[in-house]
Amino acid sequence: MLQSVLSYFRFKNKETDCYKSVCGICDLRNLPKPSVVWCSECYEHLCKTCVDHHKFSRATKNHKTITNVEYNKLSPFTKNIRPFCEEHEDKYQMYCQNHESPCCRKCLLKDHRNCKDIHPLENIVQNVKSSSAFEDLEKSLEEMMKNITQIQENRLRYLFSIQKSKVDIENEIHHIRLQINKHLDQVQNKLIMQLNTEEDKVAEEIETFTESLKGKEKEIGELLTNVQHIKTCASDLQVFLSMKQIEKTVVPCEQYIQSLFKDRTLEQTIISCSINNKIKKISTRIQSFGKINISKKECNISLVNEREKQAQIMVDVSIDNCTLKLIQKMNNFGSKVTGCTILPSGKKLFCNFSPARLILVNIDGLIEKTISLETMSAFDVTHLDQDTVAVTSPVDSCITIVDLCRQDAIRTFKTHESCFGITLHDGHLVFCALNKGLQKLDLQNDNAITNVVTFNCSDESYVTSWHDQLYLADAKMKAVVCYNTSGEFKWKFELEETILGGISVDCHGNVMVASRNTSYIILISPKEAQYRHVLGWDDIQDSPLAIDYDKHTKSLLISCISGSAFLFIVEKNKCS
């Protein structure tokens, strides 16, 4: 018995580094032997000897067993699922759909007597591993893993951006401090130079005056010496006549000295300094170098949810059920607005071609701010989040990332070719490149620009996206073309005698495109292979150029050639 116990504790699973279970049958015979397999139907571990009997027994020969290594891979809750009823200790044979519970024979008589939707358990679990429900569960878990990984990567990029912002702010503070120090040094040196100039001027005046006094001092000294000599050596007559002569010389000297006081020659120059009060109070009035502003903005993570996409694709909404209701009209945005977008906040942003600028319009339709761009042109715009947008510039062949709060460009990417329409898809900026086709800029990794599909793309082309589809409106091609994100051609819808403008897509894959020469908004149903005009000249008295559909508010923004803009609600469109 001691040897059996020792063999049990010494027997380890080398791959999982945990103890193996003993054979259930042998354990009942008080012969603990290490097991090698697990039978889920018997709910027993079996040793090598017992598994041989298990394979040939009529009752168990069809049972499927797994090795201990495979068994140890199962989660605890899966291991605890027994094929027997815990209440009656009888094997499960049926499954109640109403209660979603397996049942033994006694359960059927006791708890499920009135249940009608009961099926043999064998039929229910047959081919469950290859069932669509199991595949959906597996896909859902894989999608969640992808989403978690994506969120983690996003947080790491977010942490890096915060650290970069910290360094940028510190550099900005240091730069401003150097500018302040430089400016203070300049004004200090200027004041000291002025002080030195005044001091030199006064010193020069004193030296000049002192030199003139030395001449008078010498003259008076000679007279004084002469008087002393006369006093001791000369006769009275000589003294009298000499005195009269000296007096004539003394009078001008006395007048000279008196004149020094009368004409303020002896006034003293006092040098003082009045320090600027702003400088003196800088330590009391300026208590902070600045203010750290904290704001929130939406993340740009696109969660993977194939089931939701598939459900949306399967919804059948005919374009005949779509109508537009005008809710807002906006005027005087200029006659060169070639791009527009609805921001997550509900505000509208318009892109003026030349001069290059962005026009932000609030919810009430009033201009909130105008942001001038350093580029020579601005064709189309798409938002990255609530406060950041990307703008294409055909003349400068670049894409500019603009911060709407700071009203400044924060990054510029050279495209090497003239770029026109632009859209954001899955962390990439997809844009129309002149004569090159559709290209994409990777914002998440290395900012590399790669080709999506190559063709002779014309100028003033627009692009939009929906799920894994890209939709192109080429003015010269006179057609709407659909590709998947890998660049594979999906379909082409020709619209003769039309000069196409902006393009957008609703939440069911119906494509909206502006026709500049016919003044129509055209709604295309790829599924039904048909189109219809949902808006025309009679509705807005203008020719549409750029459009954007917001899937959350089901609203369509239209920018026209004359500079006016319209906001419509798309009704009878079962987006929700």
Side-chain angles (χ1 to χ4, degrees):
M1 184 179 68
L2 181 59
Q3 289 178 348
S4 299
V5 172
L6 288 174
S7 64
Y8 167 73
F9 283 104
R10 288 172 181 171
F11 195 83
K12 288 187 176 183
N13 185 332
K14 295 181 180 179
E15 296 188 21
T16 59
D17 197 28
C18 63
Y19 290 105
K20 284 191 174 181
S21 301
V22 295
C23 174
I25 298 174
C26 294
D27 189 44
L28 294 175
R29 298 165 55 200
N30 294 322
L31 296 172
K33 293 182 180 180
S35 65
V36 292
V37 298
W38 162 263
C39 178
S40 59
E41 296 186 53
C42 296
Y43 203 72
E44 289 282 3
H45 285 282
L46 302 173
C47 66
K48 188 174 181 181
T49 303
C50 292
V51 77
D52 291 335
H53 294 290
H54 186 270
K55 290 180 181 178
F56 297 105
S57 174
R58 181 178 297 177
T60 59
K61 65 180 181 179
N62 293 325
H63 290 189
K64 293 182 179 180
T65 61
I66 60 174
T67 65
N68 280 355
V69 174
E70 294 172 322
Y71 174 79
N72 287 326
K73 292 179 180 179
L74 297 176
S75 60
F77 82 89
T78 304
K79 293 177 182 178
N80 292 330
I81 297 176
R82 302 178 60 189
F84 301 96
C85 175
E86 295 182 359
E87 182 179 356
H88 304 114
E89 290 297 329
D90 196 5
K91 189 173 183 179
Y92 290 131
Q93 294 181 343
M94 307 299 289
Y95 186 82
C96 177
Q97 294 280 17
N98 295 336
H99 294 89
E100 295 185 351
S101 172
C103 313
C104 68
R105 289 176 297 176
K106 295 179 181 179
C107 290
L108 291 175
L109 296 175
K110 180 182 177 182
D111 301 322
H112 302 274
R113 186 174 298 174
N114 298 323
C115 297
K116 296 181 180 180
D117 199 3
I118 297 178
H119 304 277
L121 185 60
E122 183 180 1
N123 296 343
I124 294 295
V125 301
Q126 187 177 12
N127 299 323
V128 66
K129 293 182 180 179
S130 59
S131 65
S132 59
F134 190 82
E135 290 179 357
D136 288 344
L137 176 62
E138 188 176 15
K139 287 182 179 178
S140 296
L141 293 172
E142 290 175 351
E143 288 175 0
M144 283 189 283
M145 282 298 296
K146 290 180 181 178
N147 289 332
I148 291 295
T149 302
Q150 189 176 357
I151 292 172
Q152 288 177 333
E153 292 175 351
N154 176 270
R155 293 299 89 182
L156 289 175
R157 289 193 297 271
Y158 173 56
L159 176 61
F160 176 76
S161 66
I162 289 295
Q163 293 172 342
K164 184 178 181 299
S165 298
K166 174 180 175 291
V167 173
D168 292 342
I169 292 172
E170 289 177 344
N171 291 337
E172 184 179 6
I173 293 173
H174 181 67
H175 178 68
I176 293 174
R177 178 61 184 272
L178 290 178
Q179 286 184 323
I180 293 174
N181 290 346
K182 182 179 178 181
H183 180 69
L184 289 176
D185 288 341
Q186 289 176 345
V187 295
Q188 173 186 318
N189 293 335
K190 183 178 179 181
L191 183 61
I192 291 176
M193 287 179 62
Q194 183 181 357
L195 175 63
N196 292 335
T197 301
E198 294 298 330
E199 189 266 344
D200 291 342
K201 181 179 178 182
V202 172
E204 184 180 358
E205 290 177 353
I206 293 174
E207 288 177 358
T208 303
F209 178 72
T210 303
E211 289 295 327
S212 65
L213 281 181
K214 287 181 179 179
K216 293 294 181 179
E217 181 185 19
K218 182 180 179 182
E219 181 181 355
I220 293 172
E222 291 176 351
L223 291 176
L224 180 61
T225 302
N226 194 20
V227 167
Q228 291 174 349
H229 290 165
I230 292 172
K231 182 178 179 181
T232 57
C233 303
S235 64
D236 292 339
L237 177 62
Q238 288 175 327
V239 170
F240 177 77
L241 295 177
S242 296
M243 183 181 64
K244 293 295 183 181
Q245 185 67 34
I246 293 173
E247 286 178 351
K248 292 180 182 180
T249 306
V250 170
V251 170
C253 289
E254 288 181 347
Q255 291 177 348
Y256 169 74
I257 294 174
Q258 293 295 327
S259 66
L260 294 179
F261 290 92
K262 290 181 180 181
D263 59 10
R264 298 182 177 181
T265 303
L266 296 179
E267 282 187 346
Q268 296 183 6
T269 299
I270 300 174
I271 300 178
S272 63
C273 179
S274 299
I275 302 296
N276 192 324
N277 287 331
K278 293 181 180 180
I279 299 293
K280 293 170 66 175
K281 296 180 180 180
I282 189 171
S283 60
T284 56
R285 289 191 176 183
I286 301 178
Q287 296 297 328
S288 65
F289 205 92
K291 181 181 178 182
I292 303 300
N293 300 313
I294 304 297
S295 61
K296 301 287 186 180
K297 68 178 182 179
E298 294 182 1
C299 65
N300 58 351
I301 301 176
S302 299
L303 294 180
V304 178
N305 195 335
E306 295 297 332
R307 289 190 299 171
E308 181 179 343
K309 292 180 182 179
Q310 188 65 26
Q312 290 182 348
I313 292 172
M314 292 173 65
V315 175
D316 183 15
V317 177
S318 173
I319 60 175
D320 294 331
N321 295 328
C322 298
T323 57
L324 301 183
K325 179 182 178 182
L326 178 64
I327 60 172
Q328 193 175 64
K329 180 180 179 181
M330 297 155 278
N331 296 316
N332 303 321
F333 292 150
S335 59
K336 295 181 180 180
V337 174
T338 52
C340 63
T341 187
I342 301 175
L343 299 174
S345 62
K347 297 179 182 180
K348 281 78 67 176
L349 189 68
F350 297 89
C351 182
N352 192 80
F353 185 81
S354 180
R357 60 184 180 180
L358 296 175
I359 305 167
L360 182 63
V361 177
N362 61 22
I363 298 177
D364 298 324
L366 303 176
I367 296 178
E368 183 174 306
K369 65 177 71 171
T370 300
I371 303 173
S372 298
L373 305 177
E374 295 182 358
T375 55
M376 296 178 64
S377 63
F379 183 80
D380 198 14
V381 60
T382 187
H383 65 268
L384 308 183
D385 53 45
Q386 183 166 308
D387 301 317
T388 313
V389 297
V391 184
T392 57
S393 175
V395 177
D396 304 84
S397 298
C398 68
I399 296 174
T400 304
I401 309 299
V402 180
D403 189 317
L404 299 179
C405 295
R406 293 167 51 184
Q407 303 186 45
D408 192 17
I410 57 178
R411 192 89 186 261
T412 300
F413 302 97
K414 295 296 292 184
T415 59
H416 307 294
E417 304 291 341
S418 296
C419 49
F420 293 91
I422 190 170
T423 186
L424 178 68
H425 180 268
D426 195 23
H428 295 79
L429 287 174
V430 181
F431 59 95
C432 301
L434 182 64
N435 300 326
K436 293 294 184 180
L438 292 179
Q439 297 182 335
K440 64 180 179 181
L441 169 64
D442 189 348
L443 293 176
Q444 296 181 339
N445 296 316
D446 54 0
N447 301 321
I449 295 178
T450 56
N451 291 326
V452 178
V453 57
T454 302
F455 61 92
N456 189 20
C457 184
S458 64
D459 56 357
E460 299 185 4
S461 298
Y462 290 85
V463 64
T464 190
S465 62
W466 180 69
H467 294 329
D468 61 344
Q469 310 287 338
L470 300 175
Y471 302 87
L472 170 73
D474 193 304
K476 294 183 180 179
M477 193 183 296
K478 297 182 179 180
V480 174
V481 187
C482 177
Y483 304 91
N484 64 16
T485 51
S486 299
E488 297 176 359
F489 173 82
K490 304 300 291 185
W491 52 263
K492 181 178 181 180
F493 204 99
E494 296 185 355
L495 296 166
E496 297 294 337
E497 299 180 357
T498 58
I499 300 176
L500 299 180
I503 187 171
S504 194
V505 61
D506 68 11
C507 47
H508 300 291
N510 296 321
V511 180
M512 302 177 183
V513 63
S515 175
R516 289 182 279 179
N517 60 325
T518 62
S519 303
Y520 285 121
I521 296 293
I522 303 172
L523 183 60
I524 303 171
S525 172
K527 184 175 181 180
E528 299 173 341
Q530 64 179 12
Y531 74 94
R532 76 181 185 93
H533 300 151
V534 292
L535 203 69
W537 177 269
D538 294 336
D539 299 299
I540 57 177
Q541 301 293 310
D542 211 333
S543 297
L545 178 57
I547 64 174
D548 183 49
Y549 178 82
D550 182 55
K551 298 176 181 63
H552 298 288
T553 60
K554 307 168 194 174
S555 54
L556 178 67
L557 178 63
I558 303 174
S559 176
C560 298
I561 293 177
S562 68
S564 60
F566 301 86
L567 187 65
F568 288 87
I569 288 291
V570 180
E571 295 184 326
K572 297 182 181 180
N573 197 339
K574 302 175 185 178
C575 292
S576 58

